[in-house]
């Protein structure tokens, strides 16, 4: 990472699951962080979160001078953007709230500073419509949980976004140790959530129809497709499934099955019965282990998995220098 691309100060707005993940990542990269969240318990929660995440970040390699104490909680958006070279918005996924916060941020942020929104599904143009000063600098910068370990960030510019803003955003997030994926066209759900939602809908149908339990469905991913996906994704994995003939053979052989009505596509109705079945299934799988305990185990696994990815796919962009 180069000093000029790394934002020296990052403003993190909204410090729930995702905001905290951004904070831990930015601190590990050696940035200062100004955080704002109206919840009076937020600062204590964030500091505990960063302390839990820090061992995994140490294993990945901290930047020189990285310091968990470089975090300041402030009590207004104005104070949060003071001196910030990158602003990350992570308030709940409600358009009216995002509009309110982004409009205020755009009004007080220094000219040219990129405002990234973590939104999982909203299009950047729909976010920009609330801003009057520099709407083009509001881009989607969609990360994945846990943000401090997973490198992917989807970057999506809206109708007002000039290419130089996307370039600046790309440089900032790469300097934060991420693998930016610039999405060519804005659509709801961007790219990755479109894919995850498709799997998620089918998984809920399988539980709802009594075909499999949550545990069985997770086993189907963990011991099969998931292992392959973590190295090669969907397309290259299927390329290998075609044998010597690669993807072309694979499509000729299995292509017709795509027309069979295997998948339902529409989400099932989230009835109380389905919610109980899914939530009880997850409690059973957790077997009394707390979310924090499971997070620690996941983090240890992910740091080793990232090292493995780089070992077997050394050209993997965005992982250089982190492991
Ligand atoms: N949870 C995920 O797995 C995930 C993954 C990628 C992206 N996202 C996106 O990240 C964003 C945040 O999601 P989350 O899961 O962290 O939600 P969350 O509910 O855990 O956290 C939201 C935080 O925003 C704070 N907040 C509420 N109003 C605010 C305001 N006016 N100003 C500043 N802070 C305010 C809340 O107090 C809370 O701490 C959403 O847009 C979501 O779509 C979530």
């Amino acid at each position: 990472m180069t000093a000029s691309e790394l934002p020296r100060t990052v403003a993190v707005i909204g410090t729930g699951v995702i905001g905290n993940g951004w904070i831990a990542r930015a601190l590990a990269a050696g940035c200062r962080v100004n955080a704002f969240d109206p919840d009076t318990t937020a600062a204590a929660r964030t500091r505990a979160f960063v302390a839990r995440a820090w061992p995994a970040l140490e294993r990945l390699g901290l930047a020189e001078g990285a310091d968990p104490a470089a975090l300041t909680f402030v009590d207004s958006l104005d104070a949060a953007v003071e001196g910030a070279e990158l602003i990350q918005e992570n308030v709940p996924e409600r358009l009216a709230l995002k509009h309110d916060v982004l409009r205020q941020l755009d009004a007080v942020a220094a000219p040219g500073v990129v405002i990234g929104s973590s939104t999982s599904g909203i299009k950047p143009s729909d976010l920009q419509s609330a801003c009057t000063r520099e709407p083009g600098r509001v881009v989607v910068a969609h990360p994945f949980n846990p943000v401090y370990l997973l490198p992917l960030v989807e970057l999506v510019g809206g109708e007002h976004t000039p290419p130089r803003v996307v370039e600046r955003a790309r440089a900032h997030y790469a300097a934060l140790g991420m693998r930016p994926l610039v999405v060519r066209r804005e659509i709801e759900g961007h790219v990755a959530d479109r894919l995850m939602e498709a799997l998620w809908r089918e998984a809920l149908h399988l539980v709802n129809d009594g075909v499999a339990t949550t545990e069985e469905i997770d086993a189907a991913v963990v011991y099969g497709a998931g292992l392959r996906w973590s190295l090669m994704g969907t397309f290259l994995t299927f390329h290998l499934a075609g044998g010597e003939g690669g993807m072309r053979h694979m499509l000729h052989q299995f292509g017709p099955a795509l027309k069979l009505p295997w998948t339902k596509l529409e989400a099932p109705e989230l009835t109380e019965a389905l919610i109980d079945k899914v939530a009880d299934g997850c409690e059973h799988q957790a077997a009394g282990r707390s979310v924090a305990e499971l997070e620690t185990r996941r983090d240890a696994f992910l740091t080793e998995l990232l090292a493995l990815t780089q070992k077997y796919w050394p050209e993997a962009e965005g992982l250089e220098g982190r492991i």
Side-chain angles (χ1 to χ4, degrees):
M1 78 188 61
T2 68
S4 59
E5 292 159 349
L6 184 70
R8 280 164 298 187
T9 301
V10 180
V12 175
I13 312 302
T15 60
V17 178
I18 294 305
N20 282 341
W22 281 111
I23 290 172
R25 174 174 283 279
L27 292 170
C31 308
R32 302 198 60 78
V33 175
N34 296 338
F36 171 71
D37 193 303
D39 182 341
T40 50
T41 65
R45 278 192 288 114
T46 297
R47 291 187 205 286
F49 181 100
V50 171
R52 279 201 308 279
W54 209 252
L57 289 163
E58 277 175 329
R59 282 197 296 279
L60 275 186
L62 298 174
E64 215 180 299
D67 182 1
L71 165 67
T72 311
F73 260 82
V74 296
D75 57 9
S76 69
L77 292 176
D78 293 52
V81 304
E82 184 73 41
E85 294 176 337
L86 176 66
I87 298 168
Q88 189 70 34
E89 170 277 305
N90 325 276
V91 304
E93 187 82 343
R94 296 198 302 272
L95 187 59
L97 178 59
K98 297 260 189 214
H99 274 173
D100 186 38
V101 170
L102 289 168
R103 183 181 44 73
Q104 293 182 61
L105 287 172
D106 177 45
V108 293
V113 170
V114 170
I115 304 175
S117 170
S118 292
T119 178
S120 301
I122 304 170
K123 293 195 289 189
S125 294
D126 293 341
L127 297 174
Q128 292 175 350
S129 62
C131 302
T132 49
R133 218 168 132 225
E134 275 187 67
R137 59 153 143 200
V138 176
V139 297
V140 168
H142 176 234
F144 294 81
N145 187 42
V147 180
Y148 53 95
L149 294 182
L150 297 193
L152 185 65
V153 57
E154 293 181 301
L155 296 181
V156 202
E159 57 187 284
H160 297 291
T161 307
R164 69 183 147 74
V165 169
V166 176
E167 260 323 298
R168 191 175 317 136
R170 190 214 292 264
H172 281 328
Y173 292 104
L176 287 169
M178 303 187 89
R179 185 357 181 143
L181 175 69
V182 176
V183 179
R184 291 162 190 273
R185 190 154 57 83
E186 54 177 331
I187 54 169
E188 278 103 355
H190 329 309
V191 172
D193 276 357
R194 285 265 174 137
L195 299 173
M196 290 196 296
E197 284 282 309
L199 183 66
W200 180 222
R201 277 192 294 266
E202 294 307 317
L204 290 173
H205 274 299
L206 291 169
V207 173
N208 203 31
D209 297 347
V211 176
T213 65
T214 60
E215 191 168 16
E216 288 160 356
I217 292 167
D218 281 352
V221 175
V222 168
Y223 299 108
L227 284 172
R228 303 183 308 203
W229 280 335
S230 65
L231 185 66
M232 293 191 183
T234 297
F235 284 103
L236 205 51
T237 292
F238 278 160
H239 181 60
L240 272 58
E244 283 305 309
M247 177 56 93
R248 200 167 290 283
H249 177 64
M250 147 78 195
L251 284 173
H252 281 132
Q253 190 181 357
F254 300 110
L258 287 172
K259 301 274 187 199
L260 299 176
W262 282 1
T263 48
K264 300 209 176 185
L265 298 175
E266 295 280 324
E269 195 59 42
L270 273 186
T271 59
E272 286 305 317
L274 177 55
I275 291 171
D276 284 348
K277 236 174 161 178
V278 170
D280 291 350
C282 289
E283 292 299 337
H284 172 74
Q285 287 174 260
R289 291 175 291 243
S290 67
V291 168
E293 245 177 300
L294 293 170
E295 279 173 349
T296 303
R297 189 183 293 207
R298 175 203 62 193
D299 287 3
F301 174 76
L302 285 176
T303 49
E304 291 195 32
L305 191 59
L306 283 168
L308 271 181
T309 306
Q310 200 184 31
K311 178 176 172 192
Y312 289 96
W313 210 259
E315 57 277 52
E317 286 172 67
L319 298 179
E320 314 89 346
R322 290 232 59 208
I323 297 157

